[in-house]
Amino acid sequence: MIKECPACTGPMRLSEETGQMICDYCGTKITLPGVNRPAPEPTVSPAPIAKEEVFDPFDESRLWIATGKERVYLVTKMINRHGLVAGATGTGKTVTTKVLAEALSSIGVPVFMSDIKGDVSGLCKAGEPNSKVEERVQSMGIPNFSYSAYPTRFFDIFGRNGVPVRTTISGMGPLLISRILGLNETQTGILHIVFKIADDSGMLLLDLKDLRSMVQFVGENSREFTLQYGNITTQSIGAIQRSILTLTSSGGEEFFGEPALDIRDWLACDSNGRGYINIMDCVTLFQSPLLYSTFLLWMLSELYEVLPEVGDPEKPKMVFFFDEAHLLFTDAPKALLQKIEQVVRLIRSKGVGIFFITHSPADIPDVVMSQLGNKIQHALRAYTPKEQKGVRAAAASYRPNPEFNSETVLGELSTGEALISVLDEKGAPRIVQRAFLLPPHSYMGVAEPHLIAELTRNSLLYSKYGQAIDRESAFEILQRQKQQQQSLLAQQQQLKQQATQAKAKPAPRGSSPVDKVVNSAMSQVGRDVGRSLARGLLGNIIKK
């Protein structure tokens, strides 16, 4: 008995009227040998699926992601041309990103996802039977659908719901630290000087106490540094110190330190060749939107600096999903926007694809939006003239489909349905399609905390990053120098008292012990230019 259709691999059923095997999906009919029944009246059967539409689950050159009038495929080698997932709240953006992550993991592509609400965590466990999912499977003709879990690793900056993620102050660089601290242009310039002095001296700024000590040291010795590095005002030093104190009180000390994350640890597959889905728990971090967006931007810059040039590979080395992407651009200074645009444009050649997830395409600046080739647009709600203008702009960005008006459809789309425009094999945008996204194979809800904790404890990365370390850095060096200075001051005071008592003649004019300590510090800080650290596009240290 034939069970699978040779045309589309769909299930075959036996017709009691004709004795033929019939495919419910494409209408293919097969006459069984030895069965001779009168043919029924001619009927109009569904048109068979075209040859190019027959789904091959082993074809890694394209990923089936949705179905409308026809199936929609994401060309694998075009994923590093980046993408957009947009839509109003509740229209299905999260499920869409899970479907994309599952498809990428299945072909051996590692994925990074930020989990703001906790619902992405369900990727680690198999889905459960669901009537809506079953209905979607039947209507789309998905062959051999089964629920399954995916290789998932959890990370958390605060170390509560995943492997701790840390970076160093020096590693992140002055540009991104200035954004986290909310500094103005003048204060940002002063912070660049502080980092330059630390870099020139070879003193690493590992955590916030290092940064606080270095800023204090530069402020106390501003006269000595002004001629070499530029003007350093007391007011700016004070403002920077206040911002550091605010960050410290909000928990900043937990995610600045060592061991620092090596972003290359995310580029891994499990024993079955499936790419790991690296989920960053951002439920708590998202309460500080500026910190959230800056930290994810640092991760992107790390990928750019660490990975080698690969051109346009057959499949990406990694795909990065940036949720609530509008926060990255809100109130960002022009200089930072230019750097972000450079990273998005250049990271493509490193084999990294970026999907920005946001409410409206208008949230993304035009210079960045022009770099996004694959677009999945869920429903947009337009109640104000500004929102209506945004809908028109979104519709105008697609290659028109003569069968419908994109602007009208954007307000009609149901949950899980989207307008999809993807690049073809040559990099040209296809005609926009109205389609439903495939259902996910993994669990739709939030994974249990004990399951996340178990996966975290069993992760090899937990043994690498689980325990924080605090080695000698700028704070310890400057503290030691300060203690030496205080000791010499005490000795000098004692000598003066002894000289007064003995009524000795004044010593020849020369360098006092205090002067020697200060000069020694200045020499260490200001003259070791040969040990200056190399920094990348966004100011982060280039690892060798």
Side-chain angles (χ1 to χ4, degrees), residues 29-287:
K29 298 180 180 180
I30 300 177
T31 302
L32 298 176
V35 178
N36 186 14
R37 298 188 182 185
E41 293 295 326
T43 58
V44 179
S45 60
I49 296 177
K51 185 177 181 181
E52 63 270 18
E53 289 297 326
V54 176
F55 175 64
D56 180 3
F58 301 102
D59 183 7
E60 296 186 355
S61 65
R62 59 180 188 169
L63 304 177
W64 180 19
I65 61 171
T67 296
K69 189 173 182 180
E70 59 185 33
R71 290 175 179 172
V72 180
Y73 294 92
L74 190 61
V75 178
T76 307
K77 67 179 181 180
M78 291 297 160
I79 295 177
N80 68 332
R81 304 293 178 92
H82 310 316
L84 171 75
V85 179
T89 302
T91 56
K93 299 191 298 295
T94 300
V95 174
T96 295
T97 58
K98 291 179 68 173
V99 170
L100 295 176
E102 291 177 358
L104 291 163
S105 174
S106 298
I107 62 171
V109 177
V111 171
F112 169 83
M113 304 181 75
S114 54
D115 190 3
I116 293 176
K117 296 175 289 185
D119 49 359
V120 177
S121 61
L123 283 159
C124 70
K125 58 182 291 187
E128 297 176 351
N130 182 299
S131 59
K132 293 183 179 180
V133 172
E134 300 294 340
E135 181 182 347
R136 185 75 60 88
V137 169
Q138 292 295 326
S139 65
M140 291 184 172
I142 304 175
N144 304 319
F145 181 87
S146 62
Y147 296 101
S148 61
Y150 289 81
T152 308
R153 299 188 297 193
F154 292 92
F155 298 84
D156 183 7
I157 284 179
F158 300 97
R160 300 165 190 163
N161 298 309
V163 176
V165 174
R166 306 179 190 87
T167 185
T168 64
I169 297 291
S170 285
M172 183 169 279
L175 184 61
L176 297 183
I177 294 294
S178 297
R179 178 166 168 78
I180 289 176
L181 296 176
L183 304 183
N184 61 30
E185 185 175 350
T186 300
Q187 295 158 2
T188 298
I190 300 296
L191 191 65
H192 275 79
I193 292 176
V194 172
F195 270 77
K196 179 61 176 172
I197 293 172
D199 287 355
D200 286 352
S201 68
M203 281 197 291
L204 287 174
L205 306 176
L206 301 181
D207 49 31
L208 286 178
K209 69 178 184 296
D210 288 329
L211 179 60
R212 189 166 50 245
S213 298
M214 196 69 197
V215 172
Q216 179 180 347
F217 173 73
V218 171
E220 291 173 346
N221 301 279
S222 57
R223 290 186 179 181
E224 287 78 5
F225 292 127
T226 294
L227 291 178
Q228 184 175 356
Y229 295 98
N231 189 36
I232 301 171
T233 62
T234 304
Q235 293 84 352
S236 293
I237 291 293
I240 295 172
Q241 291 287 50
R242 288 193 299 271
S243 297
I244 295 173
L245 180 61
T246 301
L247 180 59
T248 303
S249 62
S250 63
E253 288 184 333
E254 296 186 55
F255 47 83
F256 284 114
E258 290 187 313
L261 173 69
D262 186 345
I263 210 78
R264 286 167 288 203
D265 286 334
W266 285 355
L267 306 177
C269 297
D270 69 356
S271 57
N272 296 319
R274 296 187 301 173
Y276 274 109
I277 299 176
N278 303 283
I279 297 178
M280 176 75 74
D281 185 286
C282 297
V283 176
T284 302
L285 179 64
F286 191 67
Q287 296 176 11

Side-chain angles (χ1 to χ4, degrees), residues 306-321:
V306 165
L307 296 180
E309 294 279 344
V310 294
D312 284 320
E314 290 301 312
K315 63 181 180 181
K317 302 188 75 169
M318 186 176 188
V319 175
F320 194 102
F321 289 92

Side-chain angles (χ1 to χ4, degrees), residues 436-450:
F436 280 94
L437 275 297
L438 270 62
H441 297 258
S442 58
Y443 186 61
M444 295 283 283
V446 180
E448 295 82 357
H450 69 84

Side-chain angles (χ1 to χ4, degrees), residues 240-492:
I240 295 172
Q241 291 287 50
R242 288 193 299 271
S243 297
I244 295 173
L245 180 61
T246 301
L247 180 59
T248 303
S249 62
S250 63
E253 288 184 333
E254 296 186 55
F255 47 83
F256 284 114
E258 290 187 313
L261 173 69
D262 186 345
I263 210 78
R264 286 167 288 203
D265 286 334
W266 285 355
L267 306 177
C269 297
D270 69 356
S271 57
N272 296 319
R274 296 187 301 173
Y276 274 109
I277 299 176
N278 303 283
I279 297 178
M280 176 75 74
D281 185 286
C282 297
V283 176
T284 302
L285 179 64
F286 191 67
Q287 296 176 11
S288 302
L290 189 62
L291 184 59
Y292 163 79
S293 60
T294 306
F295 212 89
L296 264 63
L297 180 57
W298 165 76
M299 293 176 187
L300 277 179
S301 65
E302 281 287 285
L303 283 170
Y304 172 76
E305 300 296 348
V306 165
L307 296 180
E309 294 279 344
V310 294
D312 284 320
E314 290 301 312
K315 63 181 180 181
K317 302 188 75 169
M318 186 176 188
V319 175
F320 194 102
F321 289 92
F322 201 132
D323 200 1
E324 298 293 342
H326 64 280
L327 297 174
L328 181 60
F329 308 103
T330 302
D331 298 327
K334 185 177 180 181
L336 182 59
L337 287 176
Q338 291 175 344
K339 297 293 185 181
I340 295 171
E341 189 269 334
Q342 282 184 281
V343 170
V344 173
R345 176 166 47 85
L346 298 176
I347 203 171
R348 187 182 79 184
S349 63
K350 303 295 184 83
V352 176
I354 306 171
F355 275 80
F356 292 102
I357 307 163
T358 188
H359 300 278
S360 169
D363 298 332
I364 310 296
D366 291 341
V367 292
V368 176
M369 193 69 183
S370 63
Q371 305 293 325
L372 311 183
N374 303 292
K375 302 172 185 175
I376 301 175
Q377 177 66 64
H378 290 278
L380 286 176
R381 312 304 181 203
Y383 302 109
T384 66
K386 183 178 179 181
E387 291 173 338
Q388 293 168 0
K389 182 179 179 181
V391 171
R392 287 193 295 271
S397 66
Y398 297 120
R399 184 178 171 187
N401 189 322
E403 297 184 2
F404 58 81
N405 182 290
S406 296
E407 183 178 344
T408 302
V409 168
L410 279 175
E412 302 174 346
L413 296 171
S414 58
T415 301
E417 190 180 16
L419 289 182
I420 304 177
S421 175
V422 296
L423 300 178
D424 62 18
E425 291 78 0
K426 296 182 179 179
R430 293 183 181 274
I431 293 175
V432 65
Q433 298 292 329
R434 179 176 183 174
F436 280 94
L437 275 297
L438 270 62
H441 297 258
S442 58
Y443 186 61
M444 295 283 283
V446 180
E448 295 82 357
H450 69 84
L451 178 57
I452 296 175
E454 181 181 355
L455 290 172
T456 299
R457 287 193 303 267
N458 295 336
S459 172
L460 294 176
L461 296 182
Y462 188 77
S463 60
K464 180 176 181 180
Y465 298 110
Q467 187 64 41
I469 59 176
D470 186 13
R471 61 188 173 109
E472 184 178 83
S473 50
F475 173 77
E476 288 77 15
I477 294 173
L478 293 174
Q479 282 291 103
R480 186 168 58 249
Q481 291 178 356
K482 189 173 183 179
Q483 291 172 1
Q484 291 174 354
Q485 180 180 353
Q486 291 174 347
S487 176
L488 288 174
L489 281 171
Q491 293 177 17
Q492 185 185 45

